[in-house]
Amino acid sequence: MRDFVCKKIKNLKPSGIRKLFDIVNEIPNVISLGIGEPDFDTPWHIREEGIYALQKGRTFYTSNSGLEELRNEICEYINRKYNLKYDAKNEVVVTVGGSEAIDIALRAIIDSGDEIICPEPCFVSYQPCIIMSGGVPISIPLSAENDFRLTATQLEAAITPRTKALLISYPNNPTGAIMELEDLAPLVDVIIKYDLLVITDEIYSELTYEGKHVSIASMPNMKKRTILINGFSKSYAMTGWRLGYALAPANILKYMLKIHQFGIMSAPTISQYAAITALRDGDKDIEMMREAYNQRRRYLIDAFKEMKLSCFEPYGAFYVFPNISEFGMTSEEFSEKLLKEENVAVVPGAAFGECGDKYVRISYACSIDELREAIKRLSRFVEKLRCK
Amino acid sequence: MNIKDRNKILALLEKDAKLTTKEISVMLAIGEDDVKKEIKSMEDEHLICGYHAFINWDKAEDDKISALIELKVTPQRGMGYDSIAKKIYEYPEVESLYLMSAGDYDFTVILKKATMREIANFVTTKLAVIEEVRSTSTHIVMTKYKEFGVSLADGKKDKRMAITP
Ligand SMILES: Cc1ncc(COP(=O)(O)O)c(C=O)c1O
């Protein structure tokens, strides 16, 4: 029989998380700091709205771009946050998570061979999605010395005549880095100078602990060359509802919608109803969760200081990204050893790009009790390694 | 210390009294000495009234039950409700006592868990005979679903997969 599978997919590197996942599942009493989703349940009033939608029999497709009421709420929210106006009719599509929004954004813009600049470490699906769309990912390795922020010089050095777009995500998974207004401004100059598009995945925007999140779409002259992606997974603890959205100028969104229309039809209807309530009444939930994450963030940073583990201070998302290079191991070796010897799961930084190999990602989407115990085990582990 | 920080300390302690002052100080980014001082002064003010273990007695396998009693009373001239209240809350059997704002009764009395016989005995021989008490109405708790903000029914199991991107 022939091999039916497409070469492009075959050659795609498997996710660096997979292997560890298989080991973790075999070990009892593991404390997992490897979870990239909130530990909170979806707030009850949002779940209640989903239940109500089900009871009412709202179980049909919605329009391709999503419920009008939801699109209105999304535009209202974005306006409230960034003073940015989008047209709910032509500039929004409700998607199956931020994940789908990333995919259709890339597919809508990439011609075969187009280069997409993608600073690393970054979310695991960016590069595969670029490759699957026929594009060429060009990575820029970021470092803790720059607080994992992208500089204009780095960006300019990566641009070639084939460069079409820049794909960024702040607050960042896995580093927890943010970009402030002063960091974005010089980037914008380069972006405009080279006539690039920006895809900005701002799924962690609400989890910003110092100052307020700034969207690059709100910078002067940027809205028309930006695809802004956000969603409900992180801010409202709604990962399983599979709901996100993209905002873009009508002349781009039209084509994203085409892909969405043929590939997906419409995002889950019940989730869309619940999301309306989330946007309308969810601010206090976000605030409560943000405060809790922030407390844990401080707790971890302090613990790393005491352990003398080198770690830059993250201001966003729910990850810390300590440097483990002093131990002379790859991030995968370190993670596996830590798991086997101390039953603590973390994600090797290499899963987020080659330059991540000096680091591991630690998620603080878990209780202080778990963090306390995990820190105890981690410091024991670190001491042991240092004594060798 | 400002009220906001004070309330943050209280909110943390209310959820987990075992947090150390060092932990509270780190979590709230307030100096440890300030945290210590503030807690001490809140204890002195009797604003923090104690640190207790939160126990789900239903799991402790005794045959005791919880009861809530509505009391109608006749307040005494010049004494109001306080002196009646004292006659009730001084009993160690009483766990909580609240004066209610409206309705057809005055006090809510919550008893410590006890057997049915003990409860009946306490109500008839201690509460009902207090001079100002006009009537009692005793309710037995059948199931406790939530207490002190913690759901007792759902357990603590993490429903997430062990590693996600
Ligand atoms: C940076 C980033 N973008 C997008 C997603 C996808 O989120 P969802 O598809 O649940 O909206 C994640 C999830 O971990 C993420 O970390």
Side-chain angles (χ1 to χ4, degrees), chain A residues 114-351:
Chain A
D114 280 350
E115 292 178 358
I116 308 296
I117 295 177
C118 187
E120 285 184 330
C122 69
F123 185 47
V124 294
S125 68
Y126 295 162
Q127 296 226 358
C129 282
I130 293 169
I131 293 167
M132 285 191 286
S133 310
V136 180
I138 302 295
S139 57
I140 299 179
L142 302 180
S143 68
E145 289 72 49
N146 285 335
D147 288 351
F148 293 106
R149 296 173 193 209
L150 176 64
T151 67
T153 323
Q154 287 172 313
L155 174 61
E156 195 156 17
I159 294 172
T160 76
R162 295 251 36 189
T163 307
K164 189 167 251 176
L166 167 68
L167 169 51
I168 50 172
S169 177
Y170 291 96
N172 184 266
N173 172 10
T175 64
I178 61 169
M179 292 271 276
E180 293 171 271
L181 196 65
E182 312 84 83
D183 307 308
L184 291 172
L187 282 189
V188 165
D189 294 340
V190 178
I191 289 160
I192 292 175
K193 178 171 163 198
Y194 292 91
D195 195 16
L196 306 184
L197 177 85
V198 174
I199 301 175
T200 176
D201 172 359
E202 302 183 6
I203 198 106
Y204 291 99
S205 59
E206 289 286 4
L207 302 181
T208 301
Y209 308 108
E210 301 280 327
K212 278 215 158 56
H213 174 71
V214 183
S215 174
I216 193 167
S218 67
M219 308 283 292
N221 300 315
M222 282 306 292
K223 188 187 155 201
K224 60 177 185 246
R225 54 173 74 247
T226 302
I227 300 176
L228 169 56
I229 293 167
N230 210 323
F232 299 87
S233 288
K234 317 292 171 172
S235 39
Y236 300 98
M238 290 179 74
T239 45
W241 298 75
R242 308 307 307 126
L243 210 68
Y245 53 89
L247 301 153
N251 60 339
I252 296 177
L253 194 102
K254 183 162 71 177
Y255 298 102
M256 292 169 62
L257 190 58
K258 210 187 218 178
I259 305 169
H260 174 77
Q261 178 177 29
F262 293 133
I264 299 288
M265 292 270 286
S266 61
T269 302
I270 292 158
S271 305
Q272 291 193 50
Y273 279 102
I276 293 171
T277 294
L279 288 170
R280 258 184 215 156
D281 302 323
D283 284 2
K284 60 186 180 316
D285 304 304
I286 291 177
E287 207 172 301
M288 179 278 289
M289 292 190 266
R290 188 196 294 126
E291 175 65 22
Y293 289 132
N294 197 7
Q295 291 171 2
R296 303 164 185 181
R297 180 184 68 98
R298 295 190 188 118
Y299 187 91
L300 270 185
I301 294 294
D302 182 75
F304 290 160
K305 262 190 205 135
E306 292 207 340
M307 254 184 252
K308 304 211 162 45
L309 199 58
S310 144
C311 182
F312 109 102
E313 182 171 353
Y315 291 141
F318 38 60
Y319 309 106
V320 283
F321 206 55
N323 188 323
I324 48 125
S325 54
E326 61 165 303
F327 306 109
M329 281 185 252
T330 67
S331 58
E332 201 169 305
E333 287 163 355
F334 182 92
S335 308
E336 243 175 78
K337 202 170 160 67
L338 174 62
L339 180 58
K340 288 191 171 139
E341 294 184 11
E342 293 289 353
N343 289 358
V344 175
V346 299
V347 180

